Amino acid sequence: MKVLVSVKRVVDYNVRIQIKPDGSGVVTDGVKHSMNPFDEIAMEEAVRLKEKGKVTEIIAVTLGGAKGEETLRTALAFGADRAIHVKEEGEIQPLTAARALAAIFKKEGAQILFTGKQAIDDDANQTAQMTAALLDLPQATFASKVELDGTKAQVTREIDAGLETLEVDLPAVISADLRLNEPRYLKLPDIMKAKKKTIEAVSFADLGVEAAASLKTIKTTPPPTRSKGVMVKTVDELVSALKAKGLV
Amino acid sequence: MTTKSPFYTEEHEAFRTQVRRFVDRECAPFIDQWESAEELPRELHKKAAEAGLLQVGFPEEYGGTDGADLFYGIVLTEELARAGSGGLIASLMSHGIGTPPIIHTGTHEQKLKFASPVIAGDKIAALAITEPSGGSDVANLKTRAVRDGDHYVINGSKTFITSGMRADYITTAVRTGGDGMGGVSLVVIEAGTPGFTRTPLQKMGWWCSDTATLYFDNCRVPVANRIGPENAGFMAIMMNFNNERIMLAAQAYAFAKVCYEESLAYARERTTFGKPLIRNQVIRHKLIDMQTRVEAIKANLDLMTWRVTQKQMPIAEVCMLKNFATTNLEYVANEAMQIFGGAGYLRGSKVDRIYRETKVLTIGGGSQEIMKDLAARQLGY
């Protein structure tokens, strides 16, 4: 079984995000980037399924500029067999990403697209669902457990009321939630071996994909700073304070 | 991120990310606990091996990672230092000094027996050279090994031995021949050998390292445990020292960097007289003086590391590097304490610990005075 894992290069989760002075976005120059943490989890799941003998080939895919290669090298060090780099500079909207992933999925004849439930940069949480829709395939999002059984996948997902288990026919799209697994440490020999694996570069034109322009970013602003709190001494004081603010 | 040095590749940076993750998850949260316990848990060695940290610099045949140059060792040291404890590096990495002599001069069987389990994190290795009667004067060590059939009968003691309490295999320098450097051999002494006892030492810093004094009282060690030919241990010890000194300089650099980064963050956060500390010129100048030294150590360290990877033996230069790095660490740690003020004087801050641990680096692996003498001799003065 061939699976596709889409991985995105994002600003590292440890970096304190700074807004560009003109409000056109966040500062990314000279800032540490790494693989989107949810995509790492998706990657780990694919590798575990391969180690269990359920998956035979893992193809990692990323979209974006030249530096996306670093993210693909990380995926290859995880255990992807090869990688595809949809090399396009500039902003890529979720619908565009979904179109490209759908095209590659079809071309490769993959059985599962694994991806993180969302990327920590724009938190859109759209690509997996859109890809499934474009391919007209079942989707199981926010997976916290995945079990493959021949032509079906049992996917447990965390919902507000507890756990829900879906059974989807393959091929399907599965997006990974935080508790699906804990990604491994990449060992140095694997990091070094990753350098020798192949990365195929393709463009939107190669894939016959048209870039969507359905979203427009008007302005990026930092979240409002929290104003100073007030200490109350008694419950009565708290209740009257809340009443005064019209909150109860 | 593009590297800012010709010596580091994307693979070095990828390795750095993994080590940082390991330190954040497996070390930093527990370091205070280990410091109080005065030793590291054995499981940490296994975890570190599973994460691929103990394999750097050792051949694949014995469980190591082929093709990992010395710069990976620098990256490893730099990231481990972020936990703010020299004892962690010294003790978790004590195989970095205990195991290379086995790899360089041991037989295949000795490597399988004494190196592989250590590289896999199942056993702990230590190096024992220094004696109560003297440290740097290796040529005059007194611990004696007398041949008796297939065994050596060993009498004497070793002190300041890193990981000495927990070590399973101790690469020990003993006198098998006459006086001077031509009478020294290396033998591996195994934990549990009758006649071998040890006691822990309490120290100014490096608390989580189980530093010990070792005693050998008619301790019988198989001749098969001798590493390399009889009476040829001196050169193996000297070669080992050169590498150890680079890694000690790397530690000094890494801790100076942590001091600078901690101080910078603190100076930005701490407000006095109605403004952040960093808005005072006197503090900004301190920070720049610190960072100037950090950068200078790094430049020298990287160049010497490169020369070693090119199979050169820059002995004098490495001695000077160790002195330069450790002297500047003392300066940087001192300034960091000054910037932190009372907060740095409290137990538990990284700066407090690093400050207490500057001295061990100016003394261990060859004191500054010995380093200068050796460098002068090497340069033909």
Side-chain angles (χ1 to χ4, degrees), chain A residues 27-140:
Chain A
V27 177
T28 54
D29 283 350
V31 168
K32 183 177 161 60
H33 282 66
S34 50
M35 186 189 288
N36 173 36
F38 291 111
D39 296 344
E40 281 192 336
I41 296 169
M43 196 60 231
E44 173 70 30
E45 196 63 19
V47 174
R48 288 187 190 186
L49 289 168
K50 193 180 173 194
E51 285 166 352
K52 282 185 202 154
K54 307 253 175 171
V55 163
T56 50
E57 189 183 15
I58 302 171
I59 307 161
V61 185
T62 199
L63 295 91
K67 285 181 176 167
E69 189 180 327
E70 287 170 21
T71 310
L72 288 177
R73 292 286 170 211
T74 306
L76 293 166
F78 256 108
D81 297 284
R82 58 190 170 95
I84 299 172
H85 188 174
V86 184
K87 229 177 197 166
E88 296 284 350
E89 297 292 338
E91 187 206 10
I92 296 172
Q93 299 189 355
L95 182 57
T96 318
R99 285 173 182 166
L101 289 172
I104 294 169
F105 193 89
K106 264 194 237 163
K107 192 177 146 216
E108 293 289 347
Q111 288 294 297
I112 302 174
L113 167 65
F114 276 112
T115 185
K117 66 169 180 178
Q118 65 199 69
I120 61 166
D121 49 4
D122 55 15
D123 281 329
N125 181 12
Q126 295 175 1
T127 305
Q129 295 86 334
M130 285 178 170
T131 312
L134 291 172
L135 289 166
D136 196 21
L137 290 180
Q139 54 177 288

Side-chain angles (χ1 to χ4, degrees), chain B residues 136 181 234 238 315-316 319 369-381:
Chain B
S136 302
M181 61 178 85
F234 188 80
M238 289 302 133
I315 294 177
C319 290
E369 294 69 22
I370 292 283
M371 291 295 90
K372 286 181 193 177
D373 251 24
L374 177 52
R377 276 202 311 280
Q378 287 284 325
L379 295 176
Y381 296 179

